[in-house]
Amino acid sequence: MLFLVAALLLLGIVLGAVVHIPLPLSLAAATVIGCWLLIFAVRERASRRPR
């Protein structure tokens, strides 16, 4: 339960910070983070697959 409260608090802080920067910068940052997460997921899946 405490983890959920901390996660929601962090989400609120991050969303509050995004409101104060311009939309194109916010979309660019979201794109970079999304690509990084996608690359990370692909590398993790490839490393766990038996060869």
Side-chain angles (χ1 to χ4, degrees), residues 6-50:
L8 288 173
L9 180 65
L10 185 62
L11 180 65
I13 291 170
V14 170
L15 286 177
V18 167
V19 169
H20 295 288
I21 61 175
L23 183 62
L25 183 62
S26 165
L27 291 175
T31 302
V32 168
I33 292 170
C35 288
W36 176 63
L37 287 173
L38 184 64
I39 291 168
F40 178 77
V42 168
R43 288 181 63 200
E44 282 295 312
R45 180 174 287 259
S47 70
R48 292 179 191 224
R49 190 177 304 159

